[in-house]
Amino acid sequence: TQSTRPQRLLSAVQKNATRGNPRSVVRAIDEFCRHKEWAMNVGDEKGCILDSIVSEVNPVTVLELGTYCGYSTVRIASLLPPNAKLITLEFNPDFAAIARQVIAWAGLQDKVQLVEGSSGDWIPKIQEQFGINTFDLVFLDHWKDRYLPDTKLMEKCGLLRKGSVLVADNVICPGTPDYLEYVRSSPCYKSQYFISHLEYTKAEDGLEKSVFLG
Ligand SMILES: Nc1ncnc2c1ncn2CCCCCNC(=O)c1cc(-c2ccc(F)cc2)cc(O)c1O
Ligand SMILES: [Mg+2]
């Protein structure tokens, strides 16, 4: 049977990256996506911006919405302090199966909890299921029309505290206009746009960093 793109991405990691070396996993995926097959990872250019924000926040609790193959999961988890926890939600079971193996190859499985399901279903259950009160950092990279409803849901569930940082991918391409309008006009957020490019292309895209003011 024909392999899928995520399966071919995983094979590239297993062939070219060193077990337990997150940087080599990130490099192997970027090489594969730049020279073999494009895939919707945050990528190296936006990834460097994401790294700088994660390092600045130095979060102990992280929520990622939309795992895909685990590329940004590995980038973020590799920067976390030893006691930190990253919960990542993935809707697609095939993507989740690949991501688990990519995260394990990087040796980061102890810092990461991958949960299969939709953000709308899981966000209200996170506190009781994982004993997490609030998130220091949230990375939004799932369905673009879910960014705004899920942000409002996180506010409602009390998952954000004064100073929580939201980082949203793809705010230009494919675009999340209603989310951008909300975080840029709401008095509850201090927002900043980091211009970049759509992963592995010359098209404009960027990350929006929004600090929840409580
Ligand atoms: N736990 C959950 N809850 C809800 N939805 C969930 C989920 N877990 C997953 N999903 C469902 C997300 C499916 C993937 C989302 N990402 C994207 O759709 C995406 C698309 C592009 C793109 C840009 C230009 C093009 F020409 C083509 C594609 C680039 C990106 O960086 C993207 O992140
Ligand atoms: Mg994305």
Side-chain angles (χ1 to χ4, degrees), residues 22-72:
R23 298 312 308 165
S24 74
V25 169
V26 167
R27 191 183 325 111
I29 295 173
D30 283 330
E31 290 293 304
F32 174 78
C33 293
R34 195 170 280 285
H35 303 302
K36 299 282 190 325
E37 299 184 63
W38 186 92
M40 58 182 171
N41 316 120
V42 73
D44 44 356
E45 199 178 302
K46 289 185 287 178
C48 280
I49 300 168
L50 177 62
D51 289 353
S52 61
I53 296 169
V54 173
S55 300
E56 174 202 355
V57 175
N58 206 27
V60 173
T61 54
V62 182
L63 176 64
E64 176 179 63
L65 302 176
T67 316
Y68 187 43
C69 294
Y71 174 90
S72 49

Side-chain angles (χ1 to χ4, degrees), residues 53-54 56-63 80-81 83-85 132-139 154 158-167 209-212:
I53 296 169
V54 173
E56 174 202 355
V57 175
N58 206 27
V60 173
T61 54
V62 182
L63 176 64
L80 297 182
N83 57 323
K85 273 273 166 235
I132 283 182
N133 217 343
T134 58
F135 286 103
D136 302 326
L137 180 88
V138 181
F139 180 52
M154 287 188 284
L159 283 168
L160 304 179
R161 48 109 179 135
K162 197 187 290 287
S164 290
V165 174
L166 306 185
V167 182
K209 174 194 172 190
S210 307
V211 184
F212 185 60

